[in-house]
Structures are given as structure tokens and as C-alpha cells.
Amino acid sequence: MRYLRLLAVSFFMLLSIGCFQGQRAFKVNADGSGTIVDTTKLGEQAQGMLKGFADMETTTAAEKKAKQTGKYTSKAAAMGEDVTFVSVETEKDGTNVATYAFKDITKVRAPNMPSADANSTSEDEPTTFRLSKNAAGNAVLTVVTPKEKAADPSANAPKETPEAIQQQVMMVKRMMAGLKVKSVVEVNGSVIKTNGAAAVGNTVTLMELDFDALDEAA
């Protein structure tokens, strides 16, 4: 349940603007260059709220675009000295696709999860990368995810009953209904071997979470 509470805190800002679906894809070439592609979609209510805020602004379209570009540029800089903002596109259904580029994956320090929009930034600890070659000449990409902090052994918290745990899970599920996040690494080539939990073709899943499928066992 401690993990569940940590997730609840991490997603609080997302929940304040409605359900959220997002994927961050680290696309890496053999020379270490590549892109980070964030695909995000807010619920209809949240989209309406953001549109309302945008309509209230009295600035010109050019000024709004420049402001948006500035925010995405700042998000890129926060992911590493080598990361630059490339573009952002909004599809008809409200899906946002933001693309960032890097020349050296080992200089990238980015959280697994994308933030909801240009106005928010993930506060999660960054994932880092190492790139080398093995004896066979194949590129070896090592993904270093932040470790969860150990619980304080001096804290004598009372043991929760199964009923209390189930109530907490149900409450969180109601709060986070529709929340789905995913993080993947996609290599420009073939994955020969991986110790990742899930690999399909040239894509390895780092993390996947669907709160609609959450139960007390999680």
C-alpha cells in the first residue's frame, strides 16, 4: 500500500485536471542519438478547462505559440543538457504529440512518465542511460531507473486490515479512473537480448500502469 500512496501523490497534479493517458517513448539509434516522443491525452473535461483558460488570454496567436514553445523548450532543458525541443502536434481527438531530440542518450536525465501538458512538469526522479558495446560489437543500452526509497524501520505503523486496504484501493480507483501511463525504449534495430519485463520487436516496456485494472493485490 505504501507504493500505492506514492503513486497517488505523484499523480495528484494530473488528477486535478481530469483523467490522463500518456506514453513516453525513448527512441535510440546505435550511435546514441535519438528522440523522446511524449504522446498524451487529457479527458474531455480537462481539455475543456484548458481551452477555456487559453480563450481567456488576450495575447495574439503568435504570442501564444511563442509562449508554448518556450514552455516545451524549458521541459527539454530539464531532461538533459543535450535535449532540444523539436515540435508539438495536436490531433483532432485532443492527443498531443511532443517530440524532443538528443545527440547522446547518456546525457539524458528524464522521468519515465510524461507530464500532462506544457504547463506541468513531472517531479519524479529521472531515469538515466549507459551505452556501450559488447565483445560481439553489439550496442548495449543500460536503463537505470531510480530506486524506491526504503521505508523507515523505526516507523511502527499499525498493520492495515484487508478491508481497509480494499477501501483505499477503491477510493484511489475512483479518483484515478481512466489514468493510463506507459514508458518504452524503442531501438533503431533489433533487440537481441533484454532482461526487461516485456519486449516486443524492437520495443522494451519500462513501465505500464492502468488504474482501471488495479486491484488490492497491486
Side-chain angles (χ1 to χ4, degrees):
M1 286 305 299
R2 188 169 71 88
Y3 179 64
L4 186 60
R5 292 197 191 95
L6 289 173
L7 288 172
V9 172
S10 298
F11 290 127
F12 179 77
M13 292 305 295
L14 299 181
L15 299 176
S16 67
I17 53 175
C19 66
F20 169 71
Q21 297 180 11
Q23 173 179 287
R24 169 160 286 175
F26 298 94
K27 301 188 177 185
V28 188
N29 299 316
D31 63 357
S33 65
T35 58
I36 300 171
V37 180
D38 287 349
T39 304
T40 58
K41 183 180 180 181
L42 295 172
E44 292 184 5
Q45 182 179 2
Q47 290 184 39
M49 289 174 59
L50 291 179
K51 185 179 184 302
F53 291 145
D55 292 342
M56 291 172 60
E57 291 189 27
T58 57
T59 54
T60 65
E63 289 172 330
K64 289 180 180 178
K65 184 176 181 180
K67 183 178 179 181
Q68 182 191 55
T69 299
K71 290 179 179 179
Y72 279 106
T73 300
S74 296
K75 290 169 75 74
M79 291 189 286
E81 61 183 81
D82 191 47
V83 183
T84 57
F85 170 62
V86 177
S87 65
V88 60
E89 298 179 2
T90 302
E91 300 175 358
K92 291 182 179 179
D93 65 350
T95 299
N96 251 36
V97 181
T99 303
Y100 309 87
F102 55 85
K103 296 179 181 178
D104 185 352
I105 186 64
T106 65
K107 294 182 179 180
V108 173
R109 295 178 53 83
N112 277 338
M113 295 183 295
S115 49
D117 64 355
N119 297 302
S120 58
T121 302
S122 174
E123 299 297 330
D124 292 340
E125 291 293 321
T127 293
T128 58
F129 303 83
R130 297 195 296 265
L131 186 64
S132 61
K133 283 194 175 183
N134 61 16
N138 296 317
V140 179
L141 179 67
T142 303
V143 183
V144 184
T145 56
K147 294 182 178 179
E148 183 180 350
K149 294 182 180 179
D152 184 357
S154 64
N156 296 317
K159 188 175 181 180
E160 295 171 314
T161 65
E163 292 76 13
I165 293 175
Q166 187 174 18
Q167 289 178 0
Q168 292 180 45
V169 170
M170 295 306 295
M171 180 183 68
V172 171
K173 285 186 69 173
R174 287 194 295 268
M175 291 173 58
M176 301 185 178
L179 179 59
K180 298 180 182 180
V181 288
K182 186 175 183 179
S183 177
V184 302
V185 170
E186 182 180 316
V187 298
N188 185 9
S190 301
V191 175
I192 299 173
K193 181 181 179 181
T194 177
N195 63 353
V200 178
N202 64 340
T203 301
V204 177
T205 298
L206 301 178
M207 183 275 296
E208 185 171 13
L209 188 62
D210 180 353
F211 265 85
D212 289 343
L214 185 67
D215 59 27
E216 54 268 29

